[in-house]
Amino acid sequence: LKFITIAVDAMGGDHGVSVVVPAALRMLKEHADVRLILVGDQVVLQNKLKTYQAQASDKLIIQHASECVAMDESPAQALRNKKDSSMRVSINLVKTLAADACVSAGNTGALMATARFVLKMLPGIDRPAIISTFPTFSGGRMRMLDLGANVDSTPAHLLQFSVMGSVLVSAMEDIPAPRVALLNIGHEDIKGDELVRGTAKLLAQSPVVNYIGYIEGDHIYRGDADVVVCDGFVGNVALKTTEGVAIFIKKLLQKEFSKNFLTKLAGLISLPILKAVSKFINPDRYNGATFIGLKGIVVKSHGGANVDAFFRALEEARFQAKKNIQQLISNKVEQLLLQPSSGKDS
Amino acid sequence: LKFITIAVDAMGGDHGVSVVVPAALRMLKEHADVRLILVGDQVVLQNKLKTYQAQASDKLIIQHASECVAMDESPAQALRNKKDSSMRVSINLVKTLAADACVSAGNTGALMATARFVLKMLPGIDRPAIISTFPTFSGGRMRMLDLGANVDSTPAHLLQFSVMGSVLVSAMEDIPAPRVALLNIGHEDIKGDELVRGTAKLLAQSPVVNYIGYIEGDHIYRGDADVVVCDGFVGNVALKTTEGVAIFIKKLLQKEFSKNFLTKLAGLISLPILKAVSKFINPDRYNGATFIGLKGIVVKSHGGANVDAFFRALEEARFQAKKNIQQLISNKVEQLLLQPSSGKDS
């Protein structure tokens, strides 16, 4: 059995050790091939473990870190001043190969800046992107990138994102040639801004990517594509709008069902259904966005993650490490760079 | 009583006269101050009216047009070759002041190109924008622009959109200083792309707009802002993603409620609630996007609109004409142009 070692920023996120420790214990229980390094305040971690009748072991290592990056701290400040933060130390463990991946629910900007500074980019990749998984109505899954790591991207960047997304989905979902679509505001060739039209040209020429054309916002959840590619500004707006609409409809249902005695009764009977729907539109189920393009696996749990959601992020890290995502991307990017039309000069 | 005359492209949209004629008849019944000019094939229109035991009158004028713009026709082609299309003739009626506004469910690109060519822009406005209304969870309404008329906008364009949106909301909702927010991917000053940061500077300096700062995608439906401003690419993605998620959740609910006998029973009891929710998330209720910034009111119904939805678009046109939206925007833009920092040179 080959062990997968995951460094965990135990102090990050809105809930810190209260969420990280139980999620870590569950992870060890459910996956025999996992070894965890909990990074954070040693005393706090030991005390928290005690409350679960648990302790450090060769599969649950505590690595002390004296500092903690605040959720509202500026990325530049965290990078400059917090050299012994639980976040930085976790990333260092990936850099030194002591860990195969790291997971943090901390400050996104600081995590991105630190990961990029410490790990560096894969050769041929200019910028890291944030990729995450979404449910589709056909019962499958779709991955979208970039969700906000970059703004003002160029066609060459989006081509790189397409290659990385394609490799990741291929490995994680066992799909030989994932369908890659470009997010646009129409499906005709002439539609879109300069970025999208420039990227479409590069993708159409690229033998590395199974490019299927444009996709519009109302079709991304239909299951028409396995990978949806866009600039980080657009991707972040799509992601957050999705969350906003889901919350809106959830609240509306709650309001309607609590109107009077009869609706309350109906709500009671419908409870399992509403729970199923709620679970499906709950971002927790798909927690674990990844910073892709770095020399190392960095999984970002969202800050407000509960135990279940943080556990999913740990599972995402394990699976990516098992699949050797970094190496697969490197190989593919090499192919891309060998192509005449790599898009580097566009 | 001052009559409001609305020119109606009777052949546009997926359903043409089948939707336009009953919606028009309802409009005349419900609003005594409205006069409609139905533009399209005279024979088809007369026959359709007959099926409703109706006929042309001084309040329901038929204006013959020999051509029709196809839903998939290129805007350039429609503009060049279809000089006697129901769409073009409707817009001409606004140009010659024979009508106070026009409504079409036809091809968006062709409508935009033709309206811009025939009517021209208001002085001080460089490009038209598409603005539409959305429900908010606080029970109010929010308007967002641009929803896809423009891509690759500049800060000066977004400033103009902000002024126009602000004037429209102020008049239509009776709000003295509507709260204008800029769609972004974070709320800190440093967040966003060049466009957003440049626009924020212009808005902060503008005494014409009540600028309240950045808003993120998950907050646009909370009721925090009366006007949300963004580039047409981003706005269109947000709009269509909203539709996609709403359809997704609706289908999910239908699926869950039809699983077995018990869930079907629950669904039956919950039917009024699901209908209420469905109605609320139904874009039809808010049909009637407007091309703002032109010398004339042009309301765009969505192509698949049913009678109810097309009726809403007619009502939107009537209300905008009554409020004299064009004049109000012109006045405000004059103020803006007199300002030293009009953003024209950024």
Side-chain angles (χ1 to χ4, degrees):
Chain A
L1 185 73
K2 192 198 164 288
F3 275 96
I4 304 283
T5 306
I6 304 171
V8 188
D9 171 6
M11 316 305 278
D14 300 339
H15 310 299
V17 290
S18 313
V19 154
V20 171
V21 167
L25 293 172
R26 179 167 162 204
M27 193 65 194
L28 291 176
K29 205 169 155 192
E30 294 196 18
H31 297 285
D33 63 352
V34 165
R35 182 159 45 198
L36 298 175
I37 307 177
L38 298 183
V39 184
D41 187 287
Q42 196 164 9
V43 177
V44 171
L45 275 168
Q46 277 165 343
N47 287 341
K48 197 73 197 174
L49 280 174
K50 255 185 224 153
T51 66
Y52 290 94
Q53 276 94 46
Q55 57 189 18
S57 69
D58 59 335
K59 289 185 65 185
L60 184 64
I61 298 147
I62 293 178
Q63 165 95 47
H64 182 68
S66 62
E67 293 170 313
C68 183
V69 174
M71 289 306 269
D72 57 353
E73 203 163 337
S74 96
Q77 219 164 356
L79 193 57
R80 210 179 315 117
N81 304 329
K82 298 279 178 79
K83 303 250 160 95
D84 196 40
S85 72
S86 54
M87 182 188 279
R88 178 84 170 246
V89 173
S90 301
I91 297 170
N92 283 340
L93 289 168
V94 176
K95 169 80 178 171
T96 59
L97 306 179
D100 300 300
C102 72
V103 177
S104 174
N107 181 329
T108 309
L111 185 63
M112 174 61 88
T114 309
R116 200 174 167 173
F117 178 78
V118 172
L119 297 174
K120 314 293 180 212
M121 303 305 303
L122 285 170
I125 302 293
D126 296 324
R127 298 172 168 191
I130 300 176
I131 184 166
S132 196
T133 309
F134 301 85
T136 66
F137 191 69
S138 60
R141 284 193 277 219
M142 175 274 286
R143 277 181 181 79
M144 185 150 75
L145 78 168
D146 172 32
L147 296 176
N150 309 278
V151 293
D152 299 316
S153 310
T154 67
H157 297 144
L158 294 201
L159 174 62
Q160 293 165 14
F161 298 168
S162 304
V163 174
M164 294 194 289
S166 183
V167 172
L168 186 125
V169 167
S170 180
M172 305 282 281
E173 305 285 334
D174 253 323
I175 302 172
R179 297 160 301 164
V180 176
L182 198 53
L183 186 57
N184 198 358
I185 63 170
H187 41 264
E188 304 88 357
D189 275 351
I190 53 149
K191 282 288 175 84
D193 54 11
E194 282 178 32
L195 171 64
V196 163
R197 279 181 282 123
T199 307
K201 264 185 219 157
L202 294 182
L203 284 171
Q205 292 162 8
S206 173
V208 174
V209 174
N210 176 18
Y211 174 59
I212 60 164
Y214 294 143
I215 194 166
E216 293 186 69
D218 52 342
H219 289 179
I220 54 180
Y221 299 110
R222 285 209 314 194
D224 299 354
D226 302 306
V227 183
V228 173
V229 177
C230 56
D231 171 61
F233 192 99
V234 173
N236 194 275
V237 167
L239 169 72
K240 290 197 176 145
T241 302
T242 296
E243 285 174 17
V245 176
I247 290 167
F248 186 107
I249 295 174
K250 210 168 144 180
K251 281 191 178 172
L252 203 60
L253 281 166
Q254 282 166 350
K255 198 172 128 192
E256 288 292 329
F257 274 117
S258 63
K259 258 190 177 159
N260 58 43
F261 176 74
L262 262 178
T263 59
K264 275 180 194 159
L265 187 69
L268 210 62
I269 300 167
S270 311
L271 209 58
I273 286 147
L274 296 178
K275 272 201 178 147
V277 171
S278 183
K279 195 179 164 186
F280 207 70
I281 61 178
N282 186 349
D284 284 354
R285 196 178 150 194
Y286 293 92
N287 191 34
T290 301
F291 292 164
I292 199 170
L294 299 162
K295 287 187 191 161
I297 298 169
V298 181
V299 172
K300 166 75 178 79
S301 159
H302 67 77
N306 58 20
V307 175
D308 202 47
F310 198 82
F311 170 75
R312 302 272 170 225
L314 290 172
E315 280 197 317
E316 176 76 20
R318 169 184 170 272
F319 202 47
Q320 286 196 24
K322 252 186 119 69
K323 290 284 184 180
N324 211 352
I325 290 295
Q326 302 312 304
Q327 193 54 51
L328 295 173
I329 292 178
S330 280
N331 297 348
K332 205 68 163 189
V333 170
E334 247 172 63
Q335 271 186 53
L336 181 75
L337 292 174
L338 289 173
Q339 277 178 247
S341 62
S342 72
K344 292 298 291 176
D345 49 0
S346 66
Chain B
L1 189 72
K2 195 199 162 285
F3 276 97
I4 305 283
T5 306
I6 305 170
V8 188
D9 171 7
M11 315 305 278
D14 300 338
H15 311 298
V17 290
S18 313
V19 154
V20 171
V21 167
L25 293 171
R26 180 167 161 204
M27 193 67 193
L28 291 175
K29 207 169 153 193
E30 294 197 17
H31 297 284
D33 62 353
V34 165
R35 180 160 45 199
L36 298 175
I37 307 177
L38 298 183
V39 184
D41 187 289
Q42 194 164 10
V43 178
V44 172
L45 274 167
Q46 277 165 343
N47 286 340
K48 196 73 197 175
L49 280 174
K50 254 185 226 151
T51 66
Y52 290 94
Q53 277 92 48
Q55 57 189 18
S57 70
D58 59 336
K59 289 186 65 183
L60 184 63
I61 298 147
I62 292 177
Q63 166 93 46
H64 182 69
S66 63
E67 293 169 315
C68 184
V69 175
M71 288 308 267
D72 57 353
E73 203 163 336
S74 96
Q77 219 164 356
L79 192 57
R80 209 179 315 116
N81 304 331
K82 297 278 178 77
K83 303 251 160 95
D84 196 38
S85 71
S86 54
M87 184 188 278
R88 178 86 170 245
V89 174
S90 301
I91 296 169
N92 283 340
L93 289 168
V94 176
K95 167 83 179 170
T96 59
L97 305 179
D100 301 300
C102 73
V103 177
S104 173
N107 182 328
T108 309
L111 185 63
M112 173 60 88
T114 309
R116 200 174 166 172
F117 177 79
V118 172
L119 297 174
K120 314 293 180 214
M121 302 306 302
L122 285 171
I125 301 292
D126 297 323
R127 299 171 167 191
I130 300 176
I131 184 166
S132 196
T133 309
F134 301 85
T136 66
F137 191 68
S138 60
R141 283 193 279 217
M142 176 273 288
R143 278 181 180 78
M144 186 149 75
L145 79 166
D146 171 33
L147 297 176
N150 308 278
V151 294
D152 299 316
S153 310
T154 67
H157 297 143
L158 294 201
L159 173 63
Q160 293 165 15
F161 298 168
S162 304
V163 173
M164 293 194 290
S166 182
V167 172
L168 186 125
V169 167
S170 180
M172 305 282 281
E173 306 285 335
D174 255 324
I175 300 173
R179 296 160 301 164
V180 176
L182 199 54
L183 186 56
N184 199 359
I185 63 170
H187 41 262
E188 303 88 356
D189 275 351
I190 53 149
K191 282 287 175 84
D193 54 10
E194 281 178 33
L195 171 63
V196 164
R197 278 181 282 124
T199 307
K201 264 185 219 157
L202 294 183
L203 284 172
Q205 291 162 7
S206 173
V208 175
V209 175
N210 175 20
Y211 174 59
I212 59 163
Y214 294 143
I215 194 165
E216 294 186 69
D218 51 343
H219 288 178
I220 55 180
Y221 300 110
R222 284 210 314 193
D224 299 354
D226 303 306
V227 183
V228 173
V229 177
C230 55
D231 170 61
F233 192 99
V234 172
N236 193 275
V237 167
L239 169 73
K240 289 196 175 145
T241 302
T242 297
E243 285 175 18
V245 176
I247 290 167
F248 185 109
I249 295 175
K250 209 168 145 180
K251 281 191 179 172
L252 203 61
L253 281 167
Q254 282 166 349
K255 199 174 126 190
E256 288 292 329
F257 274 115
S258 63
K259 260 191 176 158
N260 57 44
F261 176 73
L262 262 178
T263 59
K264 275 180 194 159
L265 187 69
L268 209 63
I269 300 168
S270 312
L271 209 58
I273 286 146
L274 296 177
K275 271 199 178 149
V277 171
S278 183
K279 196 180 164 189
F280 207 70
I281 61 179
N282 186 349
D284 283 355
R285 196 180 150 193
Y286 293 91
N287 191 35
T290 303
F291 293 164
I292 199 171
L294 299 161
K295 286 186 191 162
I297 298 169
V298 181
V299 172
K300 166 75 178 79
S301 160
H302 67 77
N306 58 20
V307 176
D308 201 48
F310 198 82
F311 171 75
R312 302 269 171 227
L314 291 172
E315 280 196 317
E316 176 75 20
R318 170 185 170 270
F319 202 47
Q320 285 195 25
K322 254 186 116 70
K323 289 285 183 180
N324 211 354
I325 290 293
Q326 303 312 303
Q327 194 52 52
L328 294 174
I329 292 178
S330 281
N331 296 348
K332 204 69 162 186
V333 170
E334 247 171 63
Q335 272 186 52
L336 181 75
L337 291 173
L338 289 173
Q339 278 178 245
S341 61
S342 72
K344 291 298 290 178
D345 48 0
S346 66

